[in-house]
Amino acid sequence: MKILALDIGAGTTDILLYDSDKTIENCIKLVVPSASPVQAARVAEVTAQGKDLFVEGFTIGGGSFSRALQRHLQAGLRVYMIELAAYTVRNSLQDVAARGIRIVEAPPSDFDGVTLLADELDLEPLRKMLE
């Protein structure tokens, strides 16, 4: 039997592919950066480019990602998020809007910024690697 176990933390995602035919020491183990710091780095790049940001996707662990979004806003740039992704920042959408983030269903028609996909885990590269 094979079991894929994931532990998604604030800084890293720990991955174990358990295989009952092997000793635990011989099972595949990985430690990769979690989504929040990866997304935070992407936001910092967009901030450095001086572009507005549209975030779609899902709710992820906020932490460094939320702080990067706040720095983006403090730089005088706009942040648009779909509702589901906006819960990354706070559980209250009123709190999210009070921070200056615009909650939208799609980017404005005149949007000329960068779109990011918020997702806690991208399984496709993991699947390819484990094959």
Side-chain angles (χ1 to χ4, degrees):
M1 168 178 39
K2 291 185 180 180
I3 300 171
L4 180 63
L6 306 165
D7 177 17
I8 301 171
T12 62
T13 297
D14 305 314
I15 302 167
L16 169 67
L17 180 59
Y18 175 77
D19 185 339
S20 60
D21 292 335
K22 299 179 180 179
T23 62
I24 192 74
E25 294 84 8
N26 291 321
C27 292
I28 295 173
K29 296 169 278 298
L30 302 166
V31 178
V32 298
S34 62
S36 187
V38 170
Q39 293 290 24
R42 290 179 179 152
V43 172
E45 291 172 8
V46 176
T47 304
Q49 295 169 8
K51 295 191 173 202
D52 291 336
L53 186 61
F54 173 68
V55 182
E56 59 186 350
F58 307 94
T59 306
I60 68 170
S64 54
F65 182 39
S66 294
R67 289 187 294 277
L69 291 171
Q70 195 62 46
R71 288 189 295 272
H72 190 80
L73 291 165
Q74 290 168 348
L77 300 165
R78 291 185 182 97
V79 175
Y80 303 93
M81 297 181 87
I82 68 164
E83 183 177 318
L84 189 56
Y87 284 113
T88 295
V89 178
R90 296 285 296 168
N91 290 333
S92 165
L93 293 179
Q94 290 176 331
D95 289 351
V96 175
R99 291 173 183 231
I101 295 172
R102 297 170 186 172
I103 301 167
V104 297
E105 292 182 19
S109 59
D110 61 345
F111 181 74
D112 186 31
V114 175
T115 298
L116 292 182
L117 173 65
D119 199 349
E120 200 69 70
L121 186 64
D122 186 355
L123 288 176
E124 187 57 25
L126 182 60
R127 183 189 64 76
K128 286 181 181 179
M129 190 219 35
L130 292 174
E131 284 180 344

